[in-house]
Every structure is written in structure tokens, then in C-alpha cells.
Amino acid sequence: MDARLDYLASPTAGKIIKYVMSTGRALKESPLPSTTTELVALRVSQINGCAVCIDMHTKDAAHAGESAVRLNLVAAWREATVFTEAERAALELAEAGTRVAEVPGGVNDEVWERAAQHYDQEQLTALVVLISFMGMVNRLNIITRQPAGNYEPGQFH
């Protein structure tokens, strides 16, 4: 599969992508635990079907020491026993925030409260921005059919 657009060859994309990349760096530097960041990024990408981001976040998480078992169970986190309560709350918020059009009113108060039990305001801010950011990046990749499989851990960070 060939990409519809080459973001690296486009002057317009170049101007925009530098800000996208800086947002990604800021999220990595946020007070949200890095494990949570990778699990949430992976789950949002799975829901949206973004192969490039699934490839990237799986490899980055594995490179950082995440276990194959946990990575393989992210898609079925509700039934898995390998995630902490905080991670489960973040994954639940990620799913609700990604599927906002499927539920009247979007993210309900119960989902938000479960996340707020485990994360402070700065971490919640990072979590909300991360979920939204991943949705945007997923769409950039999906719309232009960016191919997956060649990502090297740390390539964009």
C-alpha cells in the first residue's frame, strides 16, 4: 500500500506537522505515567483502526519494557486482570472519549469520576488531550493511508 500523501515532502504539512510533533513531545513530558500514555494511545488507535499508530505505540511500549501479555490484552482490557485500577479508568475514559458519537452526551459522569479517583487535574488534562490528539493523528494516517510496519522505537521522539 502506498500513502496518498507524503507528509515529509509537503511544505504545508511540514509547517503543521512540526506542531503536531511538539504536542506529542509535550504529552510524553506530562505528569501522566508513561505506561498509561502508551496504553491509552494504543487503545484509541485500536478503536480507530490506525495501523501506523498501533505499530508505533506497541513497539514504543515494548521497547520501554511493557510486557507482551499486557500489550496483547489492551483490546480486551475489561476482561483482563493485568491492568491496575488507574489504568482501567484511563482505558475506560479513552474508549468513551473516542466513541463520543456513539453515546448520547458523550463521556458520562461515572466514567469521568472513575478517572478522577486516580488522576489529578494535570494528569486528567494530559489524558483528555492525549485521547483527542490520538484521534487526530489516527485520522491523519487513516485518511492518507499511511503504511504500517516499519516503525522503529523512538523514531519520532
Side-chain angles (χ1 to χ4, degrees), residues 18-66:
K18 73 178 181 181
Y19 294 107
V20 171
M21 297 302 286
S22 67
T23 300
R25 278 189 298 278
L27 284 165
K28 286 215 176 268
E29 296 167 1
S30 80
L32 191 63
S34 60
T35 300
T36 303
T37 299
E38 291 300 335
L39 294 174
V40 166
L42 178 57
R43 185 64 190 127
V44 171
S45 300
Q46 289 171 337
I47 293 167
N48 287 328
C50 182
V52 172
C53 291
I54 293 169
D55 183 38
M56 177 178 163
H57 293 289
T58 301
K59 288 176 179 175
D60 280 348
H63 185 72
E66 187 59 74

Side-chain angles (χ1 to χ4, degrees), residues 8-157:
L8 299 178
S10 166
T12 299
K15 291 176 188 175
I16 296 166
I17 296 299
K18 73 178 181 181
Y19 294 107
V20 171
M21 297 302 286
S22 67
T23 300
R25 278 189 298 278
L27 284 165
K28 286 215 176 268
E29 296 167 1
S30 80
L32 191 63
S34 60
T35 300
T36 303
T37 299
E38 291 300 335
L39 294 174
V40 166
L42 178 57
R43 185 64 190 127
V44 171
S45 300
Q46 289 171 337
I47 293 167
N48 287 328
C50 182
V52 172
C53 291
I54 293 169
D55 183 38
M56 177 178 163
H57 293 289
T58 301
K59 288 176 179 175
D60 280 348
H63 185 72
E66 187 59 74
S67 75
V69 170
R70 283 170 43 95
L71 291 174
N72 290 330
L73 288 172
V74 168
W77 66 268
R78 291 178 191 278
E79 295 81 21
T81 60
V82 297
F83 301 105
T84 67
E85 287 303 312
E87 290 167 341
R88 296 170 71 71
L91 289 166
E92 182 180 34
L93 183 60
E95 285 191 1
T98 302
R99 295 181 165 139
V100 291
E102 297 173 24
V103 179
V107 177
N108 67 43
D109 291 338
E110 293 79 15
V111 169
W112 181 262
E113 288 305 318
R114 277 190 285 279
Q117 289 173 8
H118 299 282
Y119 300 100
D120 64 26
Q121 288 296 301
E122 286 302 302
Q123 292 170 319
L124 285 169
T125 299
L127 190 53
V128 169
V129 173
L130 172 63
I131 294 164
S132 303
F133 175 76
M134 288 309 304
M136 178 195 65
V137 174
N138 291 165
R139 283 157 181 77
L140 285 169
N141 290 322
I142 292 166
I143 292 167
T144 61
R145 292 189 179 159
Q146 297 298 313
N150 296 321
Y151 178 79
E152 296 293 327
Q155 180 177 336
F156 296 128
H157 303 291

